[in-house]
Amino acid sequence: MRGTAADVLARADALGAISEEDGRLTRRLATPALARAGDLVSGWMEDAGLVVRRDAIGNVIGRTGDADVPPLVLGSHLDTVPDAGRYDGALGVLLAIAVVDRLAAPPPIPLEVVAFADEEGVRFGVPYLGSAAYSGRFEPEWLDLVDADGITLRVAIERAGADPALLLEVLEPGLACYVEAHIEQGPVLEREGLPVGVVSAIAGQTRAALTIIGRPGHAGISPMSGRHDALAAASELVLAVERFARESEGLVATVGSLTVSPGASNVIPGEAHLSLDVRHADDGALGQAVAGLRHTATRIATARSVELDWSILRATPAVELAPELRLRLASAVLAEGHEARSLASGAGHDAVILSGVCPAAMLFVRCAGGVSHDPRESVAEADVAVALDVLERFVVGEGRTGPAPTGSSRL
Ligand code: GLV
Ligand code: MN
Ligand code: MN
């Protein structure tokens, strides 16, 4: 039989070997590694009978069925964090292709399988660029985002051989619904002995870029008292962010990247650049936390006589996934003989953006130890087999039910 769990895992291994770096998996937007991964996925989509296209941002889209009927979309992302595991994103793409592989007859409703080019937002700091482009929600100013090497998104897309102007054509995609399978990235399913679960909601998140500008100087001759050390200020800020989140119920806040300029052992740091990622399930609490963190950062900068630039890159509110679609997914889980556990996601997913244009639902697959964003990510073949059975049953059932009604979700 085509489209087995073993096939999915073998393909995840093959994709996991395609990286920007030797010895670890890193695949960011608009890189040759992402293009090579896209080529491999595109071939698998064609083998499954899908007609494949690639859009300007690099999303790989495979389609089957009547072109005039809004499709049921299955997908997830192909980009990764640095030193990633093999399943975050890739598993959802591979499950979707395997479901098409398994369908004995032509799919009961038009299907689109999408491998999004950017969900993690690692290269340009803004997450969900792939699904935003696919959903007709791409913001023109994002083309001016700059990566760590000073390359704009516009230039990165041109170098990848695509036309960035195409991203500015705002199209209403006309989708029936979106269903994404993804590793849980948390411990709940493992703790409860369940192979899969149905996602109820996705936490809101705010990502910001912070720059601290101090004064560089000679490490040997500048007295300690008169210094404006940008890294010392940044260090105080990192610890303050950690303390703030520890003291706020339900809040997580992370400085995941810190670079220092000029970056030499005998030069006082003149500039520090920090990323900030703040998340909460409640939008009000998230807004208050971001304001509180900004206040804290300003206080630290003032006390140390350094300048602070605080720039919000993207804020996405919490999203409740579509109740009726979730029910239909839960019915498929039950029909396969498993408890339909409902659980919320602290991680962000492409479903956040898709839920702005059509009803969206997600199936979580148990992962070992809840470990993710880590090369030790792992899933069991038996759980992948359950996810495949559930998704296949859901897709076939959608053919009988018809497209889900639109408008039952919010961005
Ligand atoms: C994606 O993995 C995110 O939650 O940042
Ligand atoms: Mn991720
Ligand atoms: Mn992911």
Side-chain angles (χ1 to χ4, degrees):
M1 184 174 72
R2 279 157 52 108
T4 63
D7 292 338
V8 168
L9 293 181
R11 286 177 170 183
D13 289 346
L15 269 181
I18 302 178
S19 174
E20 295 174 51
E21 303 179 281
D22 285 340
R24 61 180 209 163
L25 171 56
T26 303
R27 230 172 22 228
R28 296 167 306 150
L29 175 63
T31 57
L34 189 77
R36 287 201 306 280
D39 290 344
L40 195 56
V41 163
S42 170
W44 291 331
M45 285 181 176
E46 280 169 5
D47 290 347
L50 298 168
V51 176
V52 184
R53 66 184 196 278
R54 209 175 295 209
D55 68 11
I57 202 148
N59 296 323
V60 182
I61 304 160
R63 169 83 188 217
T64 184
D66 186 340
D68 298 327
V69 178
L72 157 59
V73 182
L74 300 171
S76 193
H77 60 101
L78 273 191
D79 67 313
T80 74
V81 294
D83 201 11
R86 276 168 290 171
Y87 305 104
D88 175 0
L91 182 68
V93 173
L94 297 174
L95 282 169
I97 297 171
V99 166
V100 180
D101 264 330
R102 282 160 65 124
L103 293 174
I109 65 166
L111 283 182
E112 203 147 275
V113 175
V114 191
F116 293 111
D118 175 88
E119 181 262 9
E120 306 283 5
V122 170
R123 182 165 178 190
F124 292 97
V126 172
Y128 309 130
L129 292 173
S131 45
Y134 177 75
S135 305
R137 299 292 188 272
F138 189 86
E139 305 281 345
E141 65 265 24
W142 289 337
L143 287 177
D144 299 318
L145 290 167
V146 178
D147 74 2
D149 298 317
I151 298 167
T152 60
L153 176 55
R154 183 191 317 276
V155 167
I157 289 171
E158 282 166 356
R159 287 184 186 170
D163 178 2
L166 294 176
L167 292 168
L168 306 181
E169 291 175 5
V170 178
L171 302 170
E172 278 307 320
L175 310 174
C177 60
Y178 174 71
V179 176
E180 175 171 0
H182 201 285
I183 56 168
E184 183 201 339
Q185 306 179 287
V188 175
L189 295 174
E190 188 174 70
R191 203 167 53 215
E192 299 186 12
L194 299 171
V196 295
V198 177
V199 182
S200 52
I202 302 173
Q205 62 170 277
T206 296
R207 293 202 196 180
L210 278 48
T211 301
I212 294 176
I213 302 171
R215 197 179 308 147
H218 195 295
I221 60 165
S222 311
M224 293 310 291
S225 58
R227 294 187 179 197
H228 302 274
D229 183 325
L231 179 56
S235 307
E236 194 174 332
L237 178 53
V238 171
L239 293 177
V241 167
E242 184 188 47
R243 199 175 319 114
F244 190 102
R246 278 191 175 157
E247 289 166 3
S248 316
E249 181 68 30
L251 186 75
V252 287
T254 307
V255 175
S257 147
L258 170 58
T259 53
V260 181
S261 162
S265 66
N266 59 349
V267 184
I268 299 165
E271 276 190 28
H273 300 269
L274 303 86
S275 64
L276 178 64
D277 178 311
V278 191
R279 307 188 190 200
H280 200 287
D282 178 83
D283 290 335
L286 177 59
Q288 274 177 15
V290 172
L293 286 166
R294 183 171 188 165
H295 178 76
T296 302
T298 305
R299 189 175 42 68
I300 291 169
T302 306
R304 287 182 165 269
S305 301
V306 293
E307 272 176 52
L308 170 75
D309 180 70
W310 173 284
S311 156
I312 300 290
L313 294 172
R314 188 147 205 209
T316 44
V319 166
E320 188 201 355
L321 294 173
E324 208 221 331
L325 200 59
R326 273 155 55 199
L327 267 181
R328 275 146 57 181
L329 196 53
S331 303
V333 175
L334 286 170
E336 288 298 327
H338 303 280
E339 183 186 325
R341 171 72 151 92
S342 169
L343 71 174
S345 175
H349 297 288
D350 296 301
V352 168
I353 302 306
L354 270 292
S355 69
V357 291
C358 67
M362 285 191 74
L363 184 74
F364 268 173
V365 183
R366 168 168 56 189
C367 62
V371 171
S372 186
H373 286 187
D374 182 315
R376 291 170 303 156
E377 256 174 24
S378 127
V379 286
E381 186 175 328
D383 294 350
V384 173
V386 171
L388 271 172
D389 289 342
V390 168
L391 288 172
E392 184 182 7
R393 181 180 285 277
F394 173 83
V395 168
V396 172
E398 285 302 283
R400 285 194 295 270
T401 326
T406 50
S408 56
S409 61
R410 67 194 167 88
L411 187 60

